[in-house]
């Protein structure tokens, strides 16, 4: 069974449920967790887990769940993971804590990707029904389900408080309202039961144990629309009359604006590279990153001279000098070929692949500076020069000092080793002084 990878190279918004409720330790565990599994199987519409992961992976069944919990059980805790082998992707965990060392608690985290899967009202209604069953059986202080990206911008789970304050106070007041909310009796008492039940939300329901379930909008995926934000703001302001409605709504619209799609308009030389760079950004930060890179322009390369001012060769054996340069380039191939197979071809595209690799690895600060200067810079410079020679009809002009070594292309000579030194100064310089950009400029001046 191959589980779908939830955290791939490109993050994406997803629906996240956070639920921690008390269970009765006097009841047999299988009986106590039976409502959990029954509700999951009844209401998980299209995202039901099919893999249980305890000490090993098994096909989902209640028996597999009990076996996994038994395998992972200690004096204090037990837990397991639940996943899917087909779209949509699921990352779900069930954790248990046991007395007397810990309070008896069931913890449930559900992450379903993509969030757009919850654009259907009926599927969202079933999700809410599932949580209603759980919250009726396992008393919570607070539970919520919402867009992960918007939750990140809201500052959950600490809501802008430091860890010490959050640990001391817990969810002591309503700091934020999400798409789906379950407020335990203590929070209900703080707000007032009648006030909470009269909330102008899509759904406000009192549960048998005194908790109240609130849903702001029919569908989770539409949280950022003007209508859904208005409903969210009205709910929040109703529950917190000490807060200003306009300020709440303004903050919500600001979050929506930060998540609104931005069309990439990258510098054409670097569009393939920058598209991969933004894909590495956290999904809640990606649109801001696109806007930043739309506005950014790479500096024009300075590592060149007019051909008529080129320094002449000062080596005794030209063939041996060119062989040495080829060997240096092979050092880069040896370093990167497993991670960047295209370097075997020495094409312009391989420069973009190398640019992205060095940026992704934060190479200038993740490796020792002396290793970079003594080994990486010469290898990168030689490889860049070889790509200029092979693809643009360039010609090496060797010099004893590598930084003076040139490649003649058209009416310019390029200084690939100077470029490599500038390139390896910092992570930002990998973009400012990319190998790809120098190549494209040299191509235009061929």
């Amino acid at each position: 069974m191959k589980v779908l990878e939830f955290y791939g190279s490109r993050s994406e918004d997803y629906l996240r449920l956070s639920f921690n409720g008390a269970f009765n330790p006097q009841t047999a565990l299988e009986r106590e967790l039976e409502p959990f599994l029954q509700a999951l199987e009844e209401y998980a519409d299209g995202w039901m887990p099919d893999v249980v992961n305890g000490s090993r992976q098994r096909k989902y069944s209640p028996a597999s769940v009990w076996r996994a919990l038994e395998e992972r059980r200690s004096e204090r805790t037990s837990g397991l993971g639940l996943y899917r082998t087909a779209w949509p992707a699921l990352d779900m965990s069930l954790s248990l804590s046991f007395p007397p060392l810990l309070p008896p608690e069931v913890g449930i985290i559900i992450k379903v990707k993509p969030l757009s899967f919850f654009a259907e009202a009926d599927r969202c209604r079933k999700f809410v029904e599932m949580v209603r069953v759980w919250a009726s059986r396992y008393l919570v202080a607070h539970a919520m389900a919402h867009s992960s990206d918007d939750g990140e911008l809201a500052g959950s789970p600490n809501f802008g408080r430091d860890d010490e304050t959050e640990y001391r106070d817990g969810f002591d007041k309503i700091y934020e309202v999400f798409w789906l909310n379950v407020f335990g009796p203590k929070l209900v008492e703080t707000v007032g039961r009648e006030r909470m039940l009269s909330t102008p939300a899509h759904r406000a329901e009192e549960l048998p144990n005194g908790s109240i379930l609130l849903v702001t909008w029919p569908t989770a995926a539409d949280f950022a629309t003007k209508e859904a934000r208005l409903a969210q703001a009205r709910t929040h302001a109703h529950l917190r009359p000490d807060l200003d409605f306009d300020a709440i709504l303004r903050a919500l619209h600001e979050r929506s604006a930060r998540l609104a799609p931005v069309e990439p308009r990258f510098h054409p030389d670097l569009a393939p590279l920058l598209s991969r760079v933004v894909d590495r950004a956290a999904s809640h930060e990606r649109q801001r990153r696109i806007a930043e890179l739309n506005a950014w322009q790479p500096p024009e390369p300075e590592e060149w001279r007019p051909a008529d001012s080129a320094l002449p060769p000062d080596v005794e054996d030209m063939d041996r000098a060119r062989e040495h340069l080829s060997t240096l380039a092979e050092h880069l191939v040896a370093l990167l070929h497993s991670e960047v197979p295209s370097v075997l071809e020495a094409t312009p595209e391989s420069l973009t692949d190398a640019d992205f690799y060095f940026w992704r690895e934060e190479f200038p600060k993740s490796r020792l500076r002396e290793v970079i200067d003594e080994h990486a810079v010469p290898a990168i410079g030689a490889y860049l020069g070889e790509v200029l020679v092979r693809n643009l009809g360039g010609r090496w002009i060797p010099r004893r000092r590598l930084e003076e070594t040139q490649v003649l292309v058209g009416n310019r000579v390029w200084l690939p080793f100077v470029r490599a030194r500038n390139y390896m100064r910092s992570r930002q310089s990998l973009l400012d002084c990319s190998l790809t950009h120098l190549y494209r400029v040299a191509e235009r001046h061929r």
Side-chain angles (χ1 to χ4, degrees):
M1 293 178 290
K2 183 173 175 54
V3 170
L4 279 184
E5 184 178 0
F6 194 87
Y7 302 100
S9 59
R10 187 181 193 274
S11 71
E12 186 177 358
D13 198 7
Y14 55 85
L15 182 67
R16 184 182 193 276
L17 169 74
S18 177
F19 184 104
N20 289 282
F23 70 87
N24 183 359
Q26 306 304 319
T27 305
L29 189 60
E30 287 192 20
R31 181 179 172 191
E32 188 65 10
L33 290 183
E34 191 174 343
F36 162 74
L37 291 179
Q38 286 179 343
L40 177 66
E41 292 172 5
E42 182 175 357
Y43 294 117
D45 181 13
W47 57 271
M48 180 67 193
D50 54 13
V51 173
V52 178
N53 187 31
S55 295
R56 64 182 183 85
Q57 284 190 2
R58 296 181 176 91
K59 185 177 180 180
Y60 174 85
S61 70
S64 297
V65 171
W66 308 134
R67 185 175 297 181
L69 288 173
E70 189 61 34
E71 289 172 346
R72 300 283 290 273
R73 182 158 184 169
S74 69
E75 188 178 7
R76 296 162 56 93
T77 64
S78 185
L80 53 81
L82 295 157
Y83 307 100
R84 284 178 55 79
T85 57
W87 183 92
L90 172 69
D91 181 10
M92 180 175 176
S93 65
L94 170 67
S95 61
L96 301 170
S97 59
F98 304 111
L101 299 176
L102 293 172
E105 188 172 81
V106 52
I108 304 165
I109 299 291
I110 295 177
K111 303 173 185 177
V112 183
K113 179 187 290 187
L115 180 66
S116 58
F117 187 70
F118 291 94
E120 297 179 15
D122 189 58
R123 178 171 288 145
C124 292
R125 180 191 61 78
K126 291 177 181 177
F127 190 94
V128 172
E129 286 299 316
M130 178 187 69
V131 175
R132 184 189 62 78
V133 171
W134 292 347
S136 297
R137 180 62 180 259
Y138 314 111
L139 187 65
V140 302
H142 174 252
M144 53 78 73
H146 196 66
S147 150
S148 173
D149 281 359
D150 195 50
E152 289 288 341
L153 297 184
S156 66
N158 290 7
F159 304 98
R161 301 170 295 166
D162 59 52
D163 289 340
E164 182 180 349
T165 304
E166 196 274 337
Y167 180 79
R168 183 187 69 236
D169 299 339
F171 202 84
D172 58 327
K173 64 175 71 171
I174 295 177
Y175 291 90
E176 183 65 61
V177 169
F178 297 101
W179 169 66
L180 183 157
N181 313 264
V182 181
F183 301 116
K186 183 179 178 182
L187 271 172
V188 172
E189 182 182 344
T190 300
V191 174
R193 187 169 299 275
E194 292 305 315
R195 171 172 283 276
M196 192 171 279
L197 285 172
S198 65
T199 302
H202 170 66
R203 180 172 176 177
E205 178 182 347
E206 186 171 15
L207 305 183
N209 57 19
S211 299
I212 289 180
L213 180 146
L214 288 179
V215 181
T216 60
W217 194 249
T219 49
D222 299 325
F223 74 93
T225 63
K226 288 184 178 180
E227 297 80 7
R229 287 303 202 191
L230 182 60
Q232 188 178 0
R234 284 175 175 163
T235 300
H236 196 173
H238 180 83
L239 298 175
R240 287 286 303 273
D242 56 310
L243 300 180
D244 179 68
F245 169 79
D246 291 335
I248 294 173
L249 185 60
R250 184 166 54 251
L252 293 176
H253 284 324
E254 287 173 357
R255 279 170 23 201
S256 294
R258 287 181 62 181
L259 296 171
V262 176
E263 183 179 355
R265 297 187 304 276
F266 303 142
H267 188 287
D269 286 354
L270 296 181
L273 171 61
L274 299 183
S275 294
R276 293 159 77 177
V277 167
V278 299
D279 279 352
R280 295 287 293 188
S283 54
H284 70 281
E285 293 288 350
R286 186 170 298 127
Q287 306 309 318
R288 177 187 60 81
R289 188 69 170 130
I290 291 172
E292 289 175 353
L293 292 173
N294 280 345
W296 173 78
Q297 294 292 308
E300 280 297 303
E302 298 178 349
E303 300 87 356
W304 65 276
R305 295 190 181 101
D308 56 11
S309 63
L311 296 174
D314 65 352
V315 297
E316 295 181 3
D317 188 328
M318 291 284 287
D319 289 337
R320 181 174 294 179
R322 281 192 287 265
E323 184 178 337
H324 175 60
L325 293 168
S326 179
T327 300
L328 286 177
E330 285 299 318
H331 290 170
L332 188 73
V333 174
L335 173 68
L336 298 190
H337 74 277
S338 60
E339 293 278 351
V340 189
S342 64
V343 294
L344 295 165
E345 308 300 327
T347 61
E349 292 73 25
S350 73
L351 296 178
T352 299
D353 293 341
D355 283 334
F356 180 67
Y357 169 80
F358 287 126
W359 181 88
R360 186 191 71 203
E361 296 296 307
E362 301 189 44
F363 205 88
K365 75 173 187 179
S366 64
R367 271 59 169 188
L368 294 173
R369 176 46 54 180
E370 53 267 32
V371 173
I372 290 173
D373 291 340
E374 293 176 17
H375 301 286
V377 167
I380 292 167
Y383 186 83
L384 173 59
E386 282 291 295
V387 175
L388 294 171
V389 168
R390 294 190 194 184
N391 296 276
L392 298 180
R395 177 169 59 84
W396 280 110
I397 304 177
R399 300 276 296 178
R400 292 194 192 96
R401 294 187 63 226
L402 283 179
E403 289 202 353
E404 294 178 356
T405 295
Q406 305 142 101
V407 176
L408 175 65
V409 178
N411 60 359
R412 290 186 175 190
V413 288
W414 298 90
L415 303 165
F417 294 96
V418 177
R419 183 67 166 191
R421 182 196 64 205
N422 294 336
Y423 178 67
M424 276 285 147
R425 285 192 303 240
S426 68
R427 195 186 198 200
Q428 181 58 42
S429 70
L430 295 173
L431 302 181
D432 292 339
C433 303
S434 73
L435 309 180
T436 300
H437 188 41
L438 183 138
Y439 177 88
R440 294 305 178 191
V441 174
E443 184 180 43
R444 288 195 288 274
H445 287 85
R446 182 169 37 170

